[in-house]
Amino acid sequence: YEILRAVKADLAAITCIYNASVLERNATATLHPVGIEERKAWFDAHEAANRPIYVLREICKGKFDSDGENFGAQKIAATNQKGEILAWGSLSDYHPREGYRITAEISVYVAPGARGKGLGGRLVNFMLERAPEFGIKNIVALIFSSNAASLNLFAKFGFARWGELPEVCDMCGKLESLTILGKKLG
């Protein structure tokens, strides 16, 4: 796997993974799938604010026969090709007021077929290591209180419960509470 800063060419895959979570109704308060055009402004805002979006993709390995020889004429090109984006994450402004510039919100989304393989953890770890480069001293994660998988993921990385907002989100008739997790960076 490799983790890189997202480029606009990644936006279709990012949007597809996000929309899968929208339809599942357990990770975002967005109620309807979004289009790539809508996400362009979001992407541009992250770049302008120097709040990165990262993608995690698999690296395709070349195919080998039983003798270890690479199939095909393009032996070198067959290895290390960029594969499918399996997850993405972002560091967003926690609040638009300037004084909050030292605090960012972390978001991580993993494609449905790639869950349970530790990819979300790889992405969280990568983002935590790089956050200080952007002047970030605190990271918050805003997670539905019913989303045990996400709560457990962030707990593994030392996030503590900083608060809860009870029943603040209406997910089409199902009221969700929001748990606020936080981590101070060294």
Side-chain angles (χ1 to χ4, degrees):
Y1 302 104
E2 69 178 353
I3 300 172
L4 299 169
R5 195 152 179 177
V7 296
K8 283 202 178 165
D10 299 328
L11 201 49
I14 290 169
T15 302
C16 184
I17 292 168
Y18 184 73
N19 282 336
S21 290
V22 169
L23 295 174
E24 292 169 350
R25 298 206 189 289
N26 70 346
T28 178
T30 301
L31 297 177
H32 303 285
V34 296
I36 294 171
E37 285 300 317
E38 292 174 78
R39 296 303 273 178
K40 282 183 182 176
W42 166 83
F43 188 94
D44 291 343
H46 274 78
E47 281 191 323
N50 203 20
R51 291 292 191 237
I53 301 168
Y54 294 104
V55 293
L56 181 148
R57 68 173 79 230
E58 62 185 347
I59 300 174
C60 296
K61 300 294 184 191
K63 295 182 179 179
F64 298 92
D65 65 18
S66 60
D67 296 326
E69 292 296 321
N70 223 346
F71 285 123
Q74 304 280 334
K75 292 182 182 181
I76 295 174
T79 58
N80 295 330
Q81 293 177 350
K82 292 184 190 256
E84 178 183 4
I85 293 173
L86 302 175
W88 66 270
S90 64
L91 293 170
S92 304
D93 285 337
Y94 164 70
H95 195 283
R97 293 192 182 127
E98 188 178 342
Y100 290 106
R101 70 188 172 282
I102 63 170
T103 303
E105 178 186 351
I106 188 171
S107 299
V108 173
Y109 292 87
V110 179
R115 293 180 189 152
K117 299 177 182 178
L119 302 181
R122 286 180 189 229
L123 197 50
V124 168
N125 187 57
F126 182 90
M127 292 168 46
L128 288 174
E129 288 175 355
R130 278 146 191 84
E133 298 170 17
F134 304 101
I136 298 169
K137 298 183 183 305
N138 306 291
I139 297 196
V140 294
L142 308 175
I143 301 171
F144 288 153
S145 301
S146 64
N147 188 338
S150 290
L151 293 170
N152 290 335
L153 170 66
F154 286 98
K156 288 178 187 175
F157 288 93
F159 281 74
R161 184 185 166 112
W162 284 3
E164 182 174 77
L165 303 174
E167 297 185 345
V168 295
C169 187
D170 182 355
M171 296 299 292
C172 296
K174 179 185 176 196
L175 295 179
E176 286 281 2
S177 297
L178 191 67
T179 297
I180 303 165
L181 299 179
K183 180 177 176 80
K184 292 188 174 293
L185 301 180

